[in-house]
Amino acid sequence: MHSFSLTAFCILMVSWQVVELCPIPADQQPLVDSLLKLMVNSIDKQFSPNPSILIGLRLAQNHSLAKEKQLLQALKDDAVKRVENGLEFTSGQVALYVMAISACCENPAKVLKVKNIDLVKILSQKMEDEMEKMETTGYPLSNLYQVGLGGLALCQHVMIPYPIVHKLLNNPAFYKAIADSHGFEDTVAVLAMALTCIREQFTWDQKQRIDSTLNTMIKQLVNQTKSDGIIGNIYSTGLAVQALTGAKTFYKTSDWDYTQTIQKLLKEIPNGAFNNPMAASQVIPSLVDRTYLDVNKLQCSLDTDNLDMTEPISVPATTEKPVNISVNYTVTNAVANNFTDSITISVQKGSVLLRVMEEAQRQDPEKFRFTVESTSWGPFVKSIQGVTGSTNDRTYWQFLSGTVPLEQGVGDYVVHDGEHIIAKFTIY
């Protein structure tokens, strides 16, 4: 079926208030496969195994089973190493490991038969610690995004006591996040998926409180939908679509144009919007009509090794003389208000922001020195001028182009000639 006729069919379905979702047109499937290949090819390049990549691959229709098995084993080995050596393992990380292992139809409570490592039990304790911290300070140990992941993963394996849910729903930080979701659509989406799962565990009267909150969250996501179908920004849209498709009874089909959003996501694939494998992993479920709520519902025995990993013959790029551009770079401490330093940097056209920072540091290490740590999204800036972000103080380094916050990380964002990049130490 051609994309035009399928789109028209989807519109007709919406007009009749049918909530079933439409599949990706056959002629657009190569776009989805290109993201899957990107994710598969990233497996051997990862600093550490990425559970989000495996979740995305497992929820897809086409598979590279050998690579998925390789990543699964790497995640198991890494989980054992983290637990046995007391390495950092946040609630959100444990949650993703639980979901990734579940998506392979294996039991995360038994990571290795010869070792008594129960990730579900570990996650339960992590979530108790998060809730205890929220009760005493108003904020979780990590952040509400990780709390949402934890609730979502845990709900698919154990019964969550209602008093814990009640505490979450009445927490001021939680209420603030859902009352003003602008800029935090990904967090609201993950929390909404968690509540969508959790509500099925309770009685009718207990559901009423959850449903009231969930209704507010879904409306927030719908209200953040832009005229082109993007929900929040391009990188929060994948999770937002998952939340909306998992809670279809909480909005009218006329409130949100599913087809428009999906087509916008597909349109952005050739533009490189999802060239970061992590970004690809979060958008893939939406493109195949699945969500994180489905990770424990897969029938792995039916999988086929059908992802064609052969690459098309590439046409050699034309050789052009390198062109340099100028970028204005400012670092400022908006918390202590004790420094604002600027420099103009010349870099090659097509350079990412990290290259600008490296050059600024080379030219003036006292004012522009910085440190990064490797994350699933790429390099994350921990400190500039020795000033380090803190979870306890809720401080971090925010990057802006002029006055507009960047949607991509420093390792992905391509700078432009004459652009003014600001690194601002601020509070979230």
Side-chain angles (χ1 to χ4, degrees):
M1 183 180 290
H2 295 295
S3 59
F4 174 79
S5 58
L6 182 61
T7 301
F9 178 61
C10 289
I11 294 173
L12 181 61
M13 290 175 68
V14 168
S15 69
W16 283 92
Q17 299 294 298
V18 178
V19 296
E20 290 300 319
L21 305 179
C22 300
I24 297 299
D27 60 349
Q28 292 180 308
Q29 184 60 41
L31 294 173
V32 178
D33 287 348
S34 70
L35 295 186
L36 295 176
K37 293 177 185 179
L38 173 74
M39 292 158 62
V40 168
N41 288 331
S42 75
I43 292 174
D44 292 326
K45 304 173 185 177
Q46 294 171 1
F47 176 77
S48 61
N50 187 340
S52 294
I53 298 297
L54 185 55
I55 294 170
L57 291 173
R58 293 299 307 145
L59 288 173
Q61 305 293 341
N62 296 340
H63 298 279
S64 177
L65 296 179
K67 283 296 184 182
E68 291 173 13
K69 184 177 180 180
Q70 173 188 332
L71 182 51
L72 171 62
Q73 188 58 53
L75 287 169
K76 288 181 176 180
D77 293 342
D78 188 60
V80 171
K81 182 176 70 173
R82 287 173 183 260
V83 173
E84 291 187 336
N85 297 328
L87 303 177
E88 183 182 42
F89 213 6
T90 67
S91 58
Q93 290 173 327
V94 178
L96 289 170
Y97 277 60
V98 167
M99 289 194 287
I101 293 171
S102 300
C104 295
C105 302
E106 297 201 10
N107 186 358
K110 298 179 180 179
V111 178
L112 287 180
K113 294 180 180 179
V114 297
K115 295 181 182 288
N116 185 26
I117 294 181
D118 183 342
L119 289 184
V120 176
K121 184 177 180 180
I122 292 173
L123 179 58
S124 295
Q125 183 59 55
K126 295 280 185 182
M127 289 299 291
E128 287 183 17
D129 294 342
E130 294 277 16
M131 297 309 300
E132 182 179 342
K133 183 70 181 297
M134 288 184 71
E135 195 169 11
T136 56
T137 69
Y139 296 99
L141 279 171
S142 56
N143 52 57
L144 285 173
Y145 181 85
Q146 295 197 50
V147 169
L149 285 176
L152 175 57
L154 201 58
C155 169
Q156 299 180 60
H157 291 277
V158 298
M159 181 76 177
I160 298 178
Y162 184 76
I164 291 180
V165 179
H166 182 75
K167 288 179 182 179
L168 175 64
L169 298 182
N170 287 281
N171 178 268
F174 175 82
Y175 182 82
K176 180 181 179 182
I178 66 172
D180 182 14
S181 64
H182 181 64
F184 299 95
E185 290 81 8
D186 52 354
T187 295
V188 172
V190 171
L191 287 167
M193 282 190 278
L195 290 182
T196 299
C197 176
I198 291 170
R199 69 182 297 275
E200 298 303 322
Q201 298 182 343
F202 298 119
T203 60
W204 183 86
D205 57 328
Q206 292 171 328
K207 282 183 180 180
Q208 301 311 299
R209 177 69 177 89
I210 297 175
D211 287 355
S212 175
T213 303
L214 189 53
N215 184 60
T216 299
M217 299 168 80
I218 294 302
K219 283 186 176 180
Q220 287 283 6
L221 292 177
V222 169
N223 291 338
Q224 294 299 337
T225 304
K226 299 177 181 177
S227 60
D228 60 358
I230 293 300
I231 306 173
N233 62 52
I234 189 69
Y235 301 105
S236 60
T237 300
L239 290 173
V241 171
Q242 290 188 56
L244 290 173
T245 54
K248 293 187 290 290
T249 60
F250 287 86
Y251 62 93
K252 298 177 181 178
T253 52
S254 58
D255 293 340
W256 170 55
D257 191 338
Y258 165 84
T259 304
Q260 181 195 35
T261 297
I262 294 299
Q263 286 300 314
K264 176 61 176 177
L265 292 175
L266 289 167
K267 182 180 179 181
E268 290 301 319
I269 294 175
N271 296 334
F274 306 109
N275 283 354
N276 184 311
M278 186 66 184
S281 75
Q282 293 189 345
V283 78
I284 278 292
S286 297
L287 297 178
V288 296
D289 293 348
R290 282 179 172 166
T291 78
Y292 286 171
L293 293 161
D294 297 318
V295 295
N296 66 337
K297 303 174 185 176
L298 302 178
Q299 294 180 282
C300 299
S301 61
L302 301 180
D303 291 342
T304 55
D305 200 16
N306 57 350
L307 181 61
D308 183 4
M309 292 300 296
T310 58
E311 297 293 337
I313 299 175
S314 59
V315 179
T318 57
T319 56
E320 297 182 0
K321 184 178 180 180
V323 176
N324 278 8
I325 61 173
S326 293
V327 178
N328 300 312
Y329 176 49
T330 296
V331 296
T332 182
N333 187 334
V335 176
N337 293 313
N338 58 352
F339 67 80
T340 297
D341 298 299
S342 299
I343 190 172
T344 299
I345 297 296
S346 178
V347 293
Q348 189 171 317
K349 183 179 180 180
S351 295
V352 296
L353 174 53
L354 183 62
R355 179 72 190 92
V356 172
M357 297 176 68
E358 291 170 341
E359 180 59 20
Q361 179 176 243
R362 187 190 68 80
Q363 293 186 25
D364 192 340
E366 181 179 350
K367 293 179 179 178
F368 298 101
R369 68 187 186 278
F370 70 97
T371 62
V372 299
E373 66 177 7
S374 296
T375 73
S376 56
W377 281 94
F380 174 78
V381 176
K382 291 185 64 178
S383 71
I384 298 177
Q385 254 189 62
V387 178
T388 305
S390 167
T391 302
N392 291 333
D393 297 332
R394 304 182 63 77
T395 53
Y396 76 115
W397 282 98
Q398 180 187 37
F399 287 85
L400 307 96
S401 174
T403 59
V404 181
L406 299 186
E407 296 178 353
Q408 293 174 287
V410 296
D412 293 315
Y413 183 77
V414 177
V415 295
H416 307 286
D417 190 31
E419 188 172 17
H420 186 193
I421 296 294
I422 301 172
K424 181 171 71 172
F425 192 65
T426 186
I427 299 173
Y428 61 90

